[in-house]
C-alpha cells in the first residue's frame, strides 16, 4: 500500500541519517490501511462506522495491525533516544 511504502522510505531514511551507528540493522514495517468495502449489502453493520459493543470493537481495520504499528513507533522512539 501507499502508506507501507511511505513507512519503508521513512525507515530507510532514519537508518541512513544515523549512519554513525555501525552495528546490525533491522527494518520494522507495518501497515494501517484496510481492504475495500466490497459488497456493502453483505456487511451486518455499516463497514465505515466503528462501534464498541461490550468488550468487542467493530469496524474495518479494527483488528488489523494498529497495535503492531504502535509498537514499531515506540521502538523507533526508544532507539532514537539512545543514539
Amino acid at each position: 500500500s501507499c502508506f507501507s511504502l511511505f513507512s519503508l522510505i521513512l525507515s530507510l531514511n532514519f537508518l541512513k541519517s544515523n549512519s554513525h551507528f555501525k552495528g546490525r540493522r533491522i527494518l520494522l514495517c507495518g501497515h494501517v490501511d484496510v481492504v475495500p468495502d466490497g459488497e456493502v449489502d453483505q456487511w451486518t453493520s455499516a463497514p465505515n462506522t466503528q462501534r464498541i459493543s461490550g468488550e468487542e470493537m467493530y469496524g474495518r481495520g479494527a483488528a488489523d495491525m494498529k497495535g503492531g504499528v504502535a509498537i514499531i513507533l515506540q521502538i523507533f522512539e526508544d532507539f532514537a533516544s539512545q543514539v
Side-chain angles (χ1 to χ4, degrees), residues 23 28 33 37 45 47 59 65 71:
L28 305 171
D33 59 329
D37 293 351
S45 62
M65 204 183 155
I71 295 295

Side-chain angles (χ1 to χ4, degrees), residues 1 10 13-15 22 27-28 30 33-34 38-39 46-47 50-51 54 64 70 80 82-83:
S1 74
L10 283 178
N13 284 336
F14 175 81
L15 293 174
K22 302 297 181 200
L27 176 65
L28 305 171
D33 59 329
V34 294
E39 299 292 326
Q50 291 71 40
R51 66 183 173 90
D64 205 342
Q82 296 176 22
V83 292

Side-chain angles (χ1 to χ4, degrees), residues 3-80:
F3 182 82
S4 295
L5 179 59
F6 179 70
S7 298
L8 178 61
I9 292 168
L10 283 178
S11 301
L12 294 174
N13 284 336
F14 175 81
L15 293 174
K16 184 177 179 183
S17 67
N18 288 285
S19 60
H20 64 277
F21 178 69
K22 302 297 181 200
R24 299 168 87 180
R25 296 177 180 181
I26 185 170
L27 176 65
L28 305 171
C29 190
H31 68 92
V32 294
D33 59 329
V34 294
V35 297
D37 293 351
E39 299 292 326
V40 178
D41 60 333
Q42 299 294 313
W43 289 79
T44 57
S45 62
N48 295 305
T49 302
Q50 291 71 40
R51 66 183 173 90
I52 297 175
S53 176
E55 294 185 11
E56 305 277 328
M57 183 183 299
Y58 296 90
R60 290 176 60 234
D64 205 342
M65 204 183 155
K66 298 351 174 238
V69 170
I71 295 295
I72 289 170
L73 293 173
Q74 185 64 53
I75 289 169
F76 275 117
E77 183 178 312
D78 291 349
F79 178 76

